Structure formats: structure tokens, C-alpha cells
């Protein structure tokens, strides 16, 4: 199972297709499986900018994810739990989460070639580069107590996996208003 969540100053709540997100919201996915699984999470905005949200080389969490306990993605860095942060407003954000018993070559290739979510700039710094105008392209620290259908390109990626008909692959798409 995989489920998307949002954390704001008001608390944490699960996300579904009726949800709207806003600048400053922190997002994460909880994955729970009975066996080791490979997880892939991607984000695409209405302008077609596509990001890998997981796996990320800058984080300690790696594939395959361990079985049993819930695993919170994107993971940790330097021992601190991270979330994805909504850094700008406008349009819709398309998410694709895929879980598989085995590595998926198409998705491994996508991870290698796409831009990756990156740490937010330091307070007061001017954001430059690929995340400067992105809706969900930044990593931010999760709250201290955090440990207690897709866009055009994402839809094509999901459809390729569906056509392969693999019984050991699970995916979910989620479109949120930003």
C-alpha cells in the first residue's frame, strides 16, 4: 500500500483527488508492504516539467524498501526526516507512485534522466535553477514529530507499465490542485 499525505501547521492529513495543496505544504508518501518492494515516485506539473521525487541519491532511504513497517518517503538525510515541499502555486500537480517486487528498467531509466527534487534554498536565499519556479520540486525538513491520474508524460509512463501486465507492479496516480 502507498498513501499520499500533507502536513501543514494545522497537522497531517491523507490526500485524495479532491484535495488542494498550497505553498508551504509538505508532502510525503507512506509505503507498507509484506515483502521488499522497489518504490518510484514522480511529479509532473501542467507545463510538463517532470521530477523524480523518489529514489533520490541525496537521501539515505534506498530501494528496495524493507517489508513490515511503514516507510515514509522521501526518506532521511543526515538523520533528519525529509518531505517534499510545495514551493509555488498554480495549476495542477500530477503524481505517480509505483511499487514493484523487482526493479523496473523503464522507471530506473526515468530516474536517471529526470531532474530530481532538491533541498530548498536557505532562508533569504534566492532560488535559482530547476526548482526556482516549481510547484513540488524541493525537499524540506519534516516536522519534528514526523517519525512518531497523472500528467501527460506520467500517464504514458504508467500506461507502458500497465500494458506489460506485470502482476507484481502496483501504481497510483494522484492529481492535486495547486
Amino acid at each position: 500500500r502507498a498513501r499520499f499525505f500533507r502536513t501543514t501547521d494545522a497537522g497531517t492529513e491523507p490526500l485524495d483527488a479532491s484535495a488542494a495543496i498550497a505553498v508551504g505544504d509538505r508532502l510525503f508518501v507512506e509505503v507498507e508492504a509484506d515483502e521488499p518492494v522497489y518504490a518510484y515516485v514522480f511529479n509532473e506539473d501542467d507545463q510538463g516539467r517532470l521530477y523524480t521525487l523518489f529514489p533520490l541519491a541525496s537521501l539515505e532511504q534506498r530501494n528496495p524498501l524493507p517489508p513490515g513497517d511503514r516507510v515514509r518517503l522521501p526518506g532521511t538525510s543526515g538523520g533528519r526526516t525529509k518531505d517534499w515541499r510545495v514551493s509555488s502555486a498554480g495549476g495542477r500537480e500530477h503524481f505517480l507512485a509505483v511499487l514493484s517486487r523487482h526493479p523496473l528498467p523503464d522507471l530506473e531509466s526515468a530516474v536517471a534522466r529526470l531532474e530530481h527534487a532538491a533541498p530548498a534554498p536557505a532562508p533569504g536565499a534566492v532560488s535559482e535553477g530547476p526548482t526556482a519556479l516549481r510547484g513540488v520540486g524541493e525537499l524540506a525538513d519534516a516536522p519534528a514529530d514526523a517519525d512518531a491520474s497523472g500528467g501527460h508524460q506520467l500517464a504514458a509512463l504508467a500506461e507502458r507499465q500497465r500494458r506489460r501486465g506485470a502482476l507484481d507492479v502496483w501504481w497510483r496516480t494522484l492529481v492535486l490542485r495547486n
Side-chain angles (χ1 to χ4, degrees):
R1 292 187 302 250
R3 191 162 190 195
F4 287 85
F5 289 87
R6 165 186 38 211
T7 299
T8 65
D9 292 339
T12 298
E13 65 182 340
L15 291 172
D16 61 26
S18 67
I21 55 176
V23 172
D25 288 356
R26 295 176 309 274
L27 310 177
F28 65 93
V29 172
E30 277 189 353
V31 174
E32 188 172 7
D34 294 332
E35 58 190 283
V37 293
Y38 288 78
Y40 307 90
V41 183
F42 301 96
N43 169 245
E44 182 180 7
D45 65 16
D46 280 341
Q47 287 72 47
R49 300 243 356 235
L50 189 58
Y51 272 80
T52 296
L53 299 181
F54 186 85
L56 298 173
S58 63
L59 298 177
E60 295 154 4
Q61 187 64 57
R62 300 277 185 248
N63 276 326
L65 303 180
D69 296 329
R70 283 185 218 154
V71 177
R72 181 181 171 134
L73 301 178
T76 60
S77 177
R80 297 191 66 163
T81 301
K82 298 293 182 180
D83 290 337
W84 302 295
R85 187 176 74 84
V86 180
S87 57
S88 63
R92 293 175 299 171
E93 299 292 338
H94 306 259
F95 295 90
L96 172 65
V98 179
L99 303 177
S100 173
R101 290 183 175 114
H102 309 285
L104 299 172
D106 281 356
L107 298 186
E108 294 287 335
S109 175
V111 167
R113 77 174 182 274
L114 296 174
E115 292 180 67
H116 291 186
V126 176
S127 182
E128 297 179 9
T131 63
L133 300 174
R134 274 294 295 138
V136 184
E138 292 183 351
L139 290 174
D141 288 342
D145 62 354
D147 293 319
S149 151
H152 178 67
Q153 294 177 70
L154 286 184
L157 196 59
E159 179 61 20
R160 281 194 301 274
Q161 298 304 312
R162 186 195 66 75
R163 280 194 312 253
R164 288 199 171 96
L167 298 176
D168 60 352
V169 176
W170 175 94
W171 68 88
R172 177 171 183 205
T173 58
L174 180 65
V175 179
L176 301 173
R177 292 181 322 273
N178 180 358

